[in-house]
Amino acid sequence: EAQVTQNPRYLITVTGKKLTVTCSQNMNHEYMSWYRQDPGLGLRQIYYSMNVEVTDKGDVPEGYKVSRKEKRNFPLILESPSPNQTSLYFCASSPPGRTTYEQYFGPGTRLTVT
Amino acid sequence: AQTVTQSQPEMSVQEAETVTLSCTYDTSESDYYLFWYKQPPSRQMILVIRQEAYKQQNATENRFSVNFQKAAKSFSLKISDSQLGDAAMYFCAYRSADDFGNEKLTFGTGTRLTIIP
């Protein structure tokens, strides 16, 4: 089944404890992206990657890191999480050729930083 | 930078009735794509309908249709024969048609739709 997966789905952590949220897609998509969703703000892009080893900042990159060593994986790293990073996180990917312009979303990761 | 505005934080409709969700956007581009996404309590983002800006004809998907007014930069979603399963948060989103840049979706703040039995 074609899908985007994220792990973990739920995470409660403490301030300053490094964490990684994994994202993987099995559709050979070149483009991948991370968004965060906050009440009253909608979804905002954190980082994106147009291909392996090609990443760039989105609108709200502060406090986050990413890497793209393999085409299928695009992990989101929080080196020193803070309470203002408590949010719902989505990974998304797009098919090559931009024929449909649709983005496929993962199921979301609910992160709470205390 | 593009912006997307959803001015209705919450809407409600009687089951089987019709409801329209509003969305306006601001852009200086002439070619772009607009989307409506549905987010049910499961939190999954589900694509409802897509509109290409170069197409004059409004997109339709079963009970869902849009009213795309390019000059007014308006993109409303009409849900006909509302069903209990339509209850969700609905997000309007914009994407540039630039094939060589960031494929970012710019989202509105969402409209929470409640279906009254």
Side-chain angles (χ1 to χ4, degrees), chain B residues 33-82:
Chain B
Y33 296 82
L34 297 166
F35 305 87
W36 279 98
Y37 279 87
K38 171 185 177 181
Q39 187 180 50
S42 67
R43 305 197 310 255
Q44 180 69 44
M45 295 293 287
I46 301 166
L47 178 64
V48 175
I49 199 165
R50 176 180 68 237
Q51 175 78 43
E52 291 88 343
Y54 64 85
K55 290 186 178 179
Q56 293 186 337
Q57 185 173 5
N58 289 327
T60 299
E61 290 286 343
N62 300 313
R63 297 183 294 108
F64 298 87
S65 61
V66 299
N67 183 4
F68 173 49
Q69 301 289 330
K70 191 173 184 179
K73 297 180 182 175
S74 172
F75 183 60
S76 61
L77 174 70
K78 185 172 80 170
I79 306 174
S80 303
D81 185 25
S82 297

Side-chain angles (χ1 to χ4, degrees), chain A residues 9-10 31 35 37 40 42-43 45 48 50 59 88 90 94 98 100-103 105-108 110, chain B residues 33 35 37 39 42-45 47 50 91 95-109:
Chain A
R9 295 289 309 280
Y10 302 89
Y31 180 90
Y35 295 87
Q37 180 182 350
L43 284 78
Q45 190 185 54
Y48 68 97
M50 297 182 70
D59 295 324
L88 177 59
F90 287 99
S94 296
R98 297 174 173 82
T100 68
Y101 297 91
E102 177 180 352
Q103 290 199 10
F105 283 84
R110 170 71 70 185
Chain B
Y33 296 82
F35 305 87
Y37 279 87
Q39 187 180 50
S42 67
R43 305 197 310 255
Q44 180 69 44
M45 295 293 287
L47 178 64
R50 176 180 68 237
F91 290 99
R95 183 205 180 284
S96 171
D98 179 4
D99 283 348
F100 302 100
N102 186 3
E103 299 180 32
K104 178 180 74 173
L105 290 169
T106 300
F107 286 87
T109 53

